[in-house]
Amino acid sequence: MLIPHDTRIALDTVVDLMNTAPEGGRGDGLGDVSALYAFVRSHDISGVGDLGEQDLRAVRDVRKRFTDVFAAPDTRTASELINQLVAAAGTTPQLTDHDGYDWHVHYFAPGASVADHLAADCGMALAFIVVAGERDRLRHCEAPDCGRAFVDLSRNRSRRYCDSRTCGNRLHVAAYRARRKESAAG
C-alpha cells in the first residue's frame, strides 16, 4: 500500500494521540496543558499558538472520536464518524511546502485550533485508508495487557502487536518459557 509521507505522519499522529488515553493503569498522556504542548512539539504540529484548558478538552474529545473510528463495527459507521469529525473541523484543503517538507496538503483552515488541525489532517488520513479499502489495518495490539492502537502497514497485513520489540517479544518469550516448562514437566 503506497501512502504519501504526509498521510503517514498523520496516521502516526492519530495513533500516538489515541495512545495517550488513560487505559489499563496508564495515566492520561494529555493530563494537562503542558502535556498537550509536549505532544504538539513532538509531532511538529505547525501553526499552533498559545494553548489552554479549552484546547486540552477539545483535543481529548478528538482523541475519543478517533478511538470511536477504530472501534467502529463496520466501514459505513467508520465513514460516518470520519465525515462528522472532518466536517466539524471546517476543512480547507491547501497545498503547502513549509519547513523543508516537499509539497503536501493541509486540510485544516488557517488559524485553526489544534483540535481542528488534528481532526482535519488526521481525519483525512483515516478517510484515505477507508477509501483504499484498508480499514482493517486500523487495529489494536493483541497483547492481553496492552490494547494500544496502531495502523498495520505491513505488506501482508500480519502485524498483531503495537511494537514487536515489546509486546510481541514479551509474548513470544512467555510462550517459549511455557513450552520449556511443559517439556521439562513431561
Side-chain angles (χ1 to χ4, degrees), residues 70-102:
F70 270 62
D74 54 53
T75 301
R76 180 159 310 281
T77 303
S79 299
E80 290 169 359
L81 293 169
I82 293 168
N83 285 341
Q84 292 167 9
L85 189 64
V86 170
T91 55
T92 307
Q94 55 188 326
L95 285 168
T96 183
D97 67 342
H98 65 88
D99 298 330
Y101 293 106
D102 203 0

Side-chain angles (χ1 to χ4, degrees), residues 23-24 30 39 47 65 79 101 104 106 140 163 167 173 184:
E23 202 172 283
L30 293 178
F39 183 86
R65 296 174 80 183
S79 299
Y101 293 106
H104 61 282
H106 280 186
H140 287 89
D163 186 340
C167 289
V173 168

Side-chain angles (χ1 to χ4, degrees), residues 154-182:
S154 66
R155 187 175 299 237
N156 63 357
R157 302 176 188 189
S158 62
R159 189 170 159 198
R160 297 174 51 208
Y161 307 109
C162 64
D163 186 340
S164 61
R165 288 171 293 181
T166 54
C167 289
N169 192 41
R170 187 170 30 90
L171 288 176
H172 290 116
V173 168
Y176 170 77
R177 288 181 180 158
R179 285 191 305 273
R180 291 212 40 199
K181 184 178 179 181
E182 187 177 296

